[in-house]
């Protein structure tokens, strides 16, 4: 590991308990900083309501100064009751297609995160996946904390234990097999991140609006790499928030995720184009193995700062 990364681990890796809620509220009140929490959601009726309830109960209601000013669920086309459950729990629910309607929406998580910048106004934007179970408010307060207390920090990732079923430490298979090797080989300054692909991170809007967003599974790696090149390692940090429990993908879904992440890395290495942006996988059918070919995400949205509607909103 680079000496720079060892120093960064000592200086920029914290625990959520290092910054008590009272301290964060004092800093927030003094600075007048606003915080938006965004949950991208697709068919998450089983979990999204409980997450919204925890954020509202512990970080908005009954506090002298709400830590969270805006709680938004962006529904990307759920076929279940995700939108209804989230609204009933107290979130503002916005459909992906209602944001920036002049641009037809592309499928993918990154597309939802990109559009959420136009649907929110907080100085700090905190992203939280909507499939978490046994959700703790520390997932929000922990990663927002450094941004409220240290003006030099601009991007904070959550780190956590990630069990696979009853086996501790075995979650994050794409991280260990794809993302971590890529980062160590090509961006060794990022080798200290425990969960580089984690969906829980908080970022200053002033940075997010300057970054391109891969529209699919590559969004977390893309944002992290581009943030490094834009603001430098010392502006990045991570916070231990405990244990992350969520729904795990099957092996073939992980393969598609891995392909998208590799493609995102390749583009950032060469800024070129894939010759064949597709992935073929195999499923056993009645007469043997059947090939299934899927497109690999090849689209990226430009920095939001260059979008006309976003610029006009800031002027207004």
């Amino acid at each position: 590991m680079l000496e720079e990364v060892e120093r960064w681990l000592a200086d920029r890796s914290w625990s959520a308990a290092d910054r008590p809620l009272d301290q964060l509220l004092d800093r927030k009140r003094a600075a007048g900083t606003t915080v938006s929490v965004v949950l991208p959601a697709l068919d998450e009726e089983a979990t999204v309501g409980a997450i919204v309830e925890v954020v509202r109960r512990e970080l908005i209601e009954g506090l002298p100064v709400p830590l969270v000013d805006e709680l938004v669920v962006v529904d990307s086309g759920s076929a279940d009751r995700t939108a209804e459950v989230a609204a009933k729990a107290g979130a503002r629910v916005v459909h992906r297609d209602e944001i920036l309607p002049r641009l037809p929406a592309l499928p993918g998580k990154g597309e939802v995160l990109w559009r959420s910048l136009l649907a929110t106004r907080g100085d700090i934007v905190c992203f939280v996946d909507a499939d978490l179970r046994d959700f703790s408010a520390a997932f929000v307060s922990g990663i927002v904390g450094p941004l409220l207390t240290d003006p030099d920090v601009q991007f904070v990732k959550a780190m956590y234990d990630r069990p696979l079923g009853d086996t501790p430490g075995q979650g994050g298979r794409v991280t260990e097999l794809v993302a971590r090797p890529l980062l160590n080989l090509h961006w060794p300054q990022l080798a200290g991140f425990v969960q580089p692909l984690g969906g829980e991170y908080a970022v200053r809007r002033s940075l997010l609006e300057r970054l391109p967003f891969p529209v699919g599974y590559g969004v977390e790696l893309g944002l992290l790499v581009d943030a490094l090149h834009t603001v430098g390692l010392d502006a990045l940090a991570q916070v231990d928030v405990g244990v992350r429990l969520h729904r795990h993908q099957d092996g073939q879904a992980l393969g598609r995720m891995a392909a998208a992440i590799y493609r995102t890395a390749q583009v950032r290495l060469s800024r070129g184009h894939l010759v064949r942006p597709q992935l073929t996988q195999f499923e056993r059918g009645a007469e043997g193995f059947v090939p299934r070919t899927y497109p690999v995400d090849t689209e990226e949205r430009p920095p939001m700062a260059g979008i006309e509607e976003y610029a006009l909103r800031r002027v207004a």
Side-chain angles (χ1 to χ4, degrees):
M1 184 177 289
L2 297 175
E3 291 185 7
E4 179 185 8
V5 177
E6 292 181 350
R7 177 191 55 75
W8 178 85
L9 278 169
D11 294 343
R12 287 288 188 260
S13 294
W14 298 293
S15 167
D18 292 338
R19 293 174 174 81
L21 185 58
D22 289 347
Q23 177 189 2
L24 300 185
L25 296 179
D26 288 344
R27 295 295 183 89
K28 183 175 187 292
R29 178 167 37 203
T33 306
T34 54
V35 177
S36 297
V37 172
V38 173
L39 278 68
L42 177 63
D43 296 330
E44 303 294 357
E45 67 175 6
T47 51
V48 68
I51 297 172
V52 170
E53 288 173 359
V54 169
V55 173
R56 287 201 62 84
R57 181 176 65 250
E58 300 188 27
L59 302 178
I60 297 178
E61 299 170 350
L63 297 177
V65 178
L67 185 70
V68 173
D69 301 280
E70 192 174 34
L71 177 55
V72 179
V73 171
V74 183
D75 187 352
S76 57
S78 299
D80 66 2
R81 298 174 56 249
T82 291
E84 178 184 345
V85 171
K88 185 176 181 180
R92 176 164 65 90
V93 179
V94 184
H95 194 282
R96 172 200 63 195
D97 297 347
E98 297 172 355
I99 308 169
L100 202 58
R102 72 173 174 87
L103 293 180
L106 297 169
K109 178 185 179 183
E111 176 83 354
V112 174
L113 301 185
W114 182 72
R115 289 175 184 258
S116 76
L117 296 184
L118 195 55
T120 57
R121 292 185 175 274
D123 303 312
I124 295 169
V125 182
C126 176
F127 297 121
V128 176
D129 282 350
D131 66 342
L132 303 189
R133 295 183 285 111
D134 297 335
F135 178 77
S136 166
F139 272 75
V140 173
S141 60
I143 58 178
V144 167
L147 297 168
L148 292 173
T149 59
D150 189 335
D152 294 329
V153 175
Q154 298 201 44
F155 189 119
V156 183
K157 295 279 292 191
M159 57 178 169
Y160 36 70
D161 295 321
R162 197 173 178 188
L164 180 62
D166 296 328
T167 306
Q170 294 301 308
R173 290 161 286 174
V174 176
T175 293
E176 300 303 329
L177 296 175
V178 180
R180 200 176 307 286
L182 283 171
L183 293 176
N184 276 263
L185 289 170
H186 299 296
W187 296 281
Q189 287 179 298
L190 298 176
F193 277 93
V194 176
Q195 297 291 352
L197 299 185
E200 290 69 48
Y201 45 104
V203 192
R204 296 193 192 278
R205 178 178 293 272
S206 57
L207 172 58
L208 274 179
E209 65 188 13
R210 297 157 58 197
L211 302 179
F213 277 63
V215 301
Y217 286 127
V219 63
E220 270 80 30
L221 184 134
L223 290 177
L224 188 60
V225 168
D226 290 342
L228 172 68
H229 290 303
T230 303
V231 295
L233 181 61
D234 283 342
L236 315 181
Q238 61 185 349
V239 174
D240 188 347
V241 297
V243 179
R244 186 185 197 266
L245 301 175
H246 68 115
R247 182 186 68 253
H248 290 280
Q249 304 275 5
D250 63 37
Q252 292 210 333
L254 294 178
R256 297 190 290 275
M257 184 183 300
I261 290 165
Y262 179 79
R263 176 262 169 192
T264 300
Q266 184 185 49
V267 169
R268 274 149 184 79
L269 287 168
S270 66
R271 292 297 168 182
H273 300 282
L274 283 177
V275 175
R276 184 176 178 272
Q278 295 178 325
L279 173 71
T280 298
Q281 298 177 317
F282 294 88
E283 300 175 5
R284 183 181 288 279
E287 300 180 359
F289 287 102
V290 178
R292 308 285 188 196
T293 299
Y294 301 89
V296 174
D297 297 319
T298 57
E299 298 290 340
E300 294 197 8
R301 292 301 193 183
M304 185 58 81
I307 298 299
E308 181 181 1
E309 288 88 341
Y310 190 77
L312 290 173
R313 190 192 74 172
R314 297 189 69 180
V315 171

